[in-house]
Amino acid sequence: MRTRRRLRAVCVAVLCVIFVVGLFAGTVSPYSYSKQFRERPNAAPSSSHLLGTDSLGRDLFARLIYGTRVSLLLAPAAALLATLIAGLLGGFAGFMGGWCEKLILSAADLSMALPLLFVLLALRAVLPLDIPPILSVIATFILLGLLGWPSSLRVVWAATKNLKNSDFLLLARATGCTRWRMIARHVLPNLRPILLAQFWISIPVFVLTEATLSMLGLGVTEPLPSWGNLLRGLEDISGVSANPWRLSPLILLVLVVICFQLILPAQEETA
Amino acid sequence: MPSPSPLKKKLVLISLLAFALPARAQTGGELHFCLRGEPKTFNPILVDDDASENIRYLTGGVLIRLNRQSQALGPALATSWSVSHDRRTITFHLRKGIHFSDGTPFTSEDVAYTMRLLMDPETHSPTGDAFRSSEGAVQVQTPAADVAVITFPAPIAGLERLFDQVAILSAHSPKKEMAVLGPFYVADYKAGSYVLLHKNPNYWKHDAQGQALPYIDSVRLDIQRNRDIELLRFRRGELQLINRLEAEQFERLQHDNPAVTRNAGTGLDAEELWFNQSPAAPLPEYKKAWFSTKEFRKAISLAINRADLCRIVYAGYAKPAYGPVSPSNHFWFNASLEDPKYDPQVALNLLTQAGFRLDNDTLKDRAGNRVEFTIVTNSGNAAREKIAAMIQQDLSQVGIKVNVVTLDFPSLIERITRTFDYDACILGLVNTDLDPSGQMNVWLSSGENHQWNPSQKTPATAWEAEIDKLMREQATAATEKERKGKFDRVQQIVAEQQPFIYLINKDVLVAVSSNVVGAAPVVLNPAGFWNVDILRLGPASEFGVQK
């Protein structure tokens, strides 16, 4: 237990450092993420370019930390949105029951049946073209948040259903406790660990979904970097073996996903 | 002294021939390479995709063959031909004593049968579309077994060249389109896996020593969409040819084994940028005004560093594009066109003349609108995405803000052909035809592929009207020289008006194993195996296992 706590502290520290570097990317980075040093494409790491340059001669270190800002700030925002929707609808369905429950669960099932990738493709296609890249990114993450709630909803709904049938809620109802007081004082505090777990689980999922979308050229658009579009540089495997520093976005992504997984409360802690 | 017996004479001749051939070359063997997709048809008159086109080239016998190296037409199944002065009638004199792969004799009746099928509207032949100059039936007369006279209802530009695509079918063979006159015939096909071609025992061509061609016994075409796997298999020695390589792949291969890489030169295909000038476009009026201003388009062209595009995006395996015709198209390229220039200062001067002004590194128009537009291109094409990112930086030097949006292909096509809801687009133009008549649908203002403003009822501008007139005139001109003069003027107008801003022409990059003797890749399709009938295979590949 103690080891786990220590490990969790290390993970939190690592995530905090990465977050802070991403947040102050403009100060930390020596160059703009879009500046092309055309005389130095695919350059090896040097004192002027710590991680070398990409195929267009852009500083890879600058792109990595700006990409961190995009991926690590927007993925939690999308996770928060998805968890809030799941918490509200799941809690409501579980607590109210009846036709309301059936309707919400059917909607969740329908959403889960939709192929997320194609829905995102279609939605991106109908977005106006002249929106700036940063708005396009925000729109992408909002879409991820709006479409990513159904699996969390099922968990929240099941937990609420259990709570509703619990002895302490029966007792509260017997003592004349109002419905809203029961939700505020008894249901929500008991759902908190589940909602938190869903939130932490969703962050790496959204980071990876954005990475997948960018790998397909549909997420964050040029010249704005994200971990996803930085990972596209790995498509050329032999290029990577020649320039192994191109693996840095992948290493960072793996590190962040592992850290998020390790800081999640253990099952026995949430129980 | 007794004269040598005929058998001895033959043996001596064979021995001499063996010494005359390159030391490593031999006849027979199997050439192995890949198709990038499933062939949709083996019927040569229905060909509409690259894979089927390759099969048609390898199996089809044509009356006239375009020599891919010299770009000149030469006799094939027809020993000679003549075109009437009005360019409506072509008379072929056919080779005698030729048979299809199944033994059925070849006569002028087969030519008539092929033309009837080709021009039958029910057949929906894409090859036949090129011959449909106007309403009316095509007449085919066969005054003799070795003479065919074909008369079209209207003159056709470059008529004889079109026959390079017409593989003759047998009118009498029970095997229908599987009976062929080309060097190979389809022996086996497994959907999604391979097409196996065997040597046609009745192929009409012989080498200078009288030996029957082709030298190779069979060609195995594996169906493989993944280019990395194709390259890996080539490196392992499992394939002997890669017909077209991407610049990155080519460079990697050249690094490992330069002997197997062949750069055939600047290809016909171009990458281009254009602005949406459609009046139906749901764009603000000020943007429509920018895009329809000649100086604006010329300034954009001047501000793009094409040399950098070639060097960085294509690793140097591309050339800055002059215009609609690549310099590799020897006859039709207008050599008097100026080199594409890169000069941001001149671009800025042009913009100033057109009423734009630079305000704190931001370009604004007369009304004070910031000059900002979005370039769309198809997602998943790394080269185009890089081009767009580089143009983004180039144009920022003249104060223009460019956004880049990648869309999946169907959405992109929807925008550029139906809704016209886009500012500018980068796409590639695939040029399979040397003759300008193949580009009619691009240059005529009524054409659907007149991308900057398609399907116009009447030409929107005077210069488009002039292009319409010149394109129609070149199509009916009596001589090639006259046609060339008119198309040169079209290229001049395009260079002046820049409706398409041509960016680069990619090099044609081919990989040929060192055991393939006689390969001479060219820029025209099929680049690596255009002379398949004289290719020979030597001992096992020297590339061997991957280094």
Side-chain angles (χ1 to χ4, degrees):
Chain A
M1 200 66 178
R2 203 170 157 188
T3 319
R4 188 174 172 85
R5 267 207 298 274
R6 273 190 193 158
L7 195 62
R8 202 181 289 169
V10 171
C11 290
V12 170
V14 170
L15 283 177
C16 283
V17 169
I18 295 172
F19 259 111
V20 169
V21 171
L23 208 58
F24 296 100
T27 319
V28 178
S29 165
Y31 309 109
S32 157
Y33 59 81
S34 60
K35 170 87 177 152
Q36 294 167 6
F37 298 91
R38 291 189 181 173
E39 68 287 2
R40 276 174 273 169
N42 295 314
S46 63
S47 54
S48 50
H49 301 287
L50 290 177
L51 291 173
T53 60
D54 70 3
S55 58
L56 294 182
R58 295 176 297 195
D59 184 78
L60 212 52
F61 178 69
R63 290 186 68 72
L64 188 64
I65 55 178
Y66 274 103
T68 302
R69 181 156 78 176
V70 169
S71 296
L72 269 195
L73 291 184
L74 292 175
L80 184 68
L81 181 64
T83 312
L84 277 176
I85 296 172
L88 278 173
L89 292 178
F92 193 68
F95 198 73
M96 299 299 287
W99 66 267
C100 194
E101 181 185 26
K102 277 185 187 162
L103 187 74
I104 290 171
L105 289 181
S106 304
D109 289 346
L110 186 68
S111 297
M112 276 198 278
L114 287 174
L116 184 68
L117 188 65
F118 292 104
V119 174
L120 283 166
L121 272 175
L123 289 172
R124 181 64 194 84
V126 296
L127 276 178
L129 294 181
D130 53 355
I131 56 171
I134 189 68
L135 284 183
S136 164
V137 177
I138 292 170
T140 304
F141 277 98
I142 289 175
L143 289 175
L144 287 177
L146 288 175
L147 295 168
W149 54 269
S151 51
S152 298
L153 178 134
R154 280 268 171 194
V155 178
V156 177
W157 164 77
T160 314
K161 198 94 175 154
N162 276 340
L163 282 175
K164 191 185 169 188
N165 298 328
S166 64
D167 292 343
F168 69 89
L169 270 197
L170 189 66
L171 201 63
R173 207 177 295 139
T175 55
C177 192
T178 64
R179 179 174 284 180
W180 293 112
R181 186 177 166 79
M182 276 197 293
I183 291 172
R185 295 300 300 272
H186 300 291
V187 178
L188 280 180
N190 280 292
L191 282 179
R192 198 176 59 185
I194 291 162
L195 290 173
L196 270 176
Q198 289 305 310
F199 171 70
W200 290 118
I201 287 170
S202 303
I203 294 173
V205 171
F206 288 134
V207 168
L208 292 171
T209 309
E210 185 279 319
T212 312
L213 283 177
S214 289
M215 286 286 281
L216 295 169
L218 297 163
V220 179
T221 53
E222 289 280 1
L224 201 66
S226 75
W227 289 351
N229 60 25
L230 290 174
L231 286 172
R232 290 190 76 187
L234 305 183
E235 284 171 350
D236 173 10
I237 287 296
S238 61
V240 174
S241 58
N243 309 328
W245 57 91
R246 281 197 190 172
L247 287 168
S248 48
L250 181 67
I251 293 167
L252 198 60
L253 178 69
V254 170
L255 183 69
V256 166
V257 171
I258 289 173
C259 286
F260 272 121
Q261 294 298 330
L262 289 175
I263 61 171
L264 278 176
Q267 211 167 11
E268 63 272 17
E269 292 171 82
T270 51
Chain B
M1 192 177 162
S3 62
S5 70
L7 181 68
K8 270 188 180 168
K9 266 185 187 170
K10 257 186 189 172
L11 283 172
V12 170
L13 189 66
I14 289 168
S15 324
L16 283 173
L17 271 175
F19 281 111
L21 293 173
R24 292 161 59 246
Q26 59 192 35
T27 56
E30 186 172 88
L31 181 68
H32 203 163
F33 60 99
C34 286
L35 293 174
R36 303 268 168 71
E38 191 80 28
K40 288 182 188 166
T41 179
F42 290 132
N43 188 336
I45 61 170
L46 297 179
V47 167
D48 196 19
D49 60 288
D50 282 346
S52 308
E53 173 66 45
N54 285 336
I55 304 284
R56 177 169 71 183
Y57 188 86
L58 291 164
T59 59
V62 294
L63 296 170
I64 300 172
R65 181 55 94 196
L66 175 76
N67 183 313
R68 265 56 178 175
Q69 198 164 45
S70 64
Q71 299 186 3
L73 293 171
L77 293 173
T79 50
S80 64
W81 66 91
S82 57
V83 180
S84 65
H85 188 69
D86 63 2
R87 303 193 74 81
R88 286 178 55 219
T89 304
I90 185 163
T91 305
F92 292 105
H93 295 274
L94 311 178
R95 279 180 206 278
K96 292 174 190 166
I98 292 176
H99 293 84
F100 282 85
S101 54
D102 67 339
T104 317
F106 163 65
T107 65
S108 55
E109 267 187 55
D110 301 310
V111 177
Y113 170 74
T114 305
M115 286 310 293
R116 271 198 300 275
L117 267 183
L118 197 73
M119 302 311 295
D120 185 350
E122 296 295 308
T123 314
H124 300 292
S125 166
T127 312
D129 288 343
F131 290 94
R132 276 183 252 280
S133 54
S134 71
E135 296 292 317
V138 175
Q139 307 290 328
V140 187
Q141 291 165 299
T142 50
D146 61 341
V147 179
V149 182
I150 307 169
T151 306
F152 294 90
I156 296 177
L159 175 61
E160 53 271 58
R161 176 192 47 83
L162 296 177
F163 283 92
D164 176 69
Q165 306 286 316
V166 182
I168 301 300
L169 297 172
S170 170
H172 303 293
S173 169
K175 288 193 165 183
K176 305 279 182 190
E177 69 264 16
M178 301 312 275
V180 295
L181 290 161
F184 297 93
Y185 67 92
V186 178
D188 192 14
Y189 164 56
K190 193 173 177 193
S193 184
Y194 66 86
V195 182
L196 180 66
L197 309 178
H198 279 175
K199 176 179 178 169
N200 175 2
N202 300 323
Y203 187 48
W204 60 274
K205 236 175 169 178
H206 292 76
D207 66 10
Q209 286 75 34
Q211 186 177 351
L213 296 176
Y215 295 127
I216 293 168
D217 282 341
S218 59
V219 178
R220 178 177 285 267
L221 302 157
D222 284 350
I223 297 160
Q224 179 57 261
R225 289 173 209 276
N226 188 313
R227 294 193 167 197
D228 286 327
I229 294 176
E230 187 183 14
L231 185 62
L232 193 68
R233 294 188 62 199
F234 180 82
R235 282 164 175 273
R236 285 181 185 156
E238 293 171 15
L239 302 175
Q240 288 134 341
L241 184 84
I242 301 182
N243 206 25
R244 281 192 187 235
L245 283 159
E246 295 298 325
E248 278 181 3
Q249 291 180 318
F250 186 81
E251 195 162 65
R252 265 185 271 154
L253 207 52
Q254 195 167 48
H255 181 258
D256 293 347
N257 187 352
V260 300
T261 54
R262 310 275 182 93
N263 185 346
T266 310
L268 303 180
D269 301 349
E271 293 290 321
E272 69 222 17
L273 165 76
W274 75 88
F275 289 99
N276 181 3
Q277 296 183 53
S278 168
L283 300 177
E285 287 305 317
Y286 63 85
K287 275 196 178 179
K288 286 187 187 175
W290 302 343
F291 300 158
S292 57
T293 306
K294 179 176 86 174
E295 287 76 15
F296 179 82
R297 298 191 300 267
K298 286 189 86 167
I300 299 290
S301 176
L302 278 163
I304 295 172
N305 189 339
R306 291 172 174 81
D308 274 1
L309 295 182
C310 297
R311 185 171 57 82
I312 294 174
V313 180
Y314 294 98
Y317 299 112
K319 302 283 176 301
Y322 288 77
V325 180
S326 160
S328 295
N329 189 342
H330 303 151
F331 182 74
W332 293 103
F333 174 63
N334 182 350
S336 69
L337 293 180
E338 277 186 30
D339 289 3
K341 284 193 176 64
Y342 168 61
D343 196 333
Q345 192 50 52
V346 175
L348 211 49
N349 295 344
L350 260 179
L351 288 165
T352 312
Q353 282 169 28
F356 294 88
R357 65 192 156 83
L358 202 56
D359 183 5
N360 288 333
D361 292 338
T362 302
L363 193 74
K364 292 184 174 170
D365 65 7
R366 274 202 186 91
N369 298 302
R370 181 179 187 176
V371 179
E372 178 179 353
F373 58 84
T374 303
I375 295 177
V376 287
T377 190
N378 58 313
S379 57
N381 188 316
R384 282 189 195 135
E385 287 173 29
K386 283 182 191 172
I387 289 174
M390 291 182 74
I391 290 176
Q392 206 170 30
Q393 172 150 317
D394 285 343
L395 297 189
S396 70
Q397 291 173 14
V398 289
I400 296 174
K401 185 164 187 271
V402 175
N403 301 312
V404 178
V405 172
T406 56
L407 294 171
D408 61 297
F409 213 75
S411 304
L412 180 68
I413 296 299
E414 174 78 10
R415 282 191 190 256
I416 65 174
T417 59
R418 288 176 194 275
T419 65
F420 304 114
D421 187 7
Y422 73 102
D423 294 338
C425 180
I426 294 177
L427 275 183
L429 181 77
V430 178
N431 241 336
T432 52
D433 198 350
L434 292 172
D435 195 282
S437 292
Q439 299 178 18
M440 284 297 237
N441 57 351
V442 174
W443 298 116
L444 290 182
S445 59
S446 56
E448 283 183 7
N449 292 333
H450 192 74
Q451 290 299 354
W452 66 91
N453 185 5
S455 308
Q456 298 171 38
K457 285 189 178 125
T458 53
T461 59
W463 58 269
E464 282 173 288
E466 191 184 350
I467 290 180
D468 282 4
K469 183 170 161 280
L470 288 164
M471 287 304 289
R472 289 201 177 97
E473 283 174 358
Q474 71 79 26
T476 53
T479 65
E480 291 293 284
K481 194 180 168 191
E482 206 180 327
R483 292 185 65 207
K484 163 92 169 118
K486 294 192 185 295
F487 194 62
D488 276 355
R489 174 69 190 135
V490 171
Q491 292 176 66
Q492 194 70 48
I493 296 170
V494 172
E496 283 163 14
Q497 298 292 337
Q498 301 274 345
F500 284 130
I501 297 172
Y502 289 91
L503 302 170
I504 56 97
N505 291 121
K506 285 187 276 185
D507 287 359
V508 175
L509 307 171
V510 177
V512 187
S513 174
S514 46
N515 72 327
V516 178
V517 181
V522 292
V523 297
L524 298 184
N525 279 331
F529 59 91
W530 66 277
N531 57 346
V532 66
D533 48 5
I534 58 159
L535 293 183
R536 293 171 190 270
L537 295 177
S541 166
E542 283 174 5
F543 203 103
V545 290
Q546 193 179 348
K547 284 186 178 178

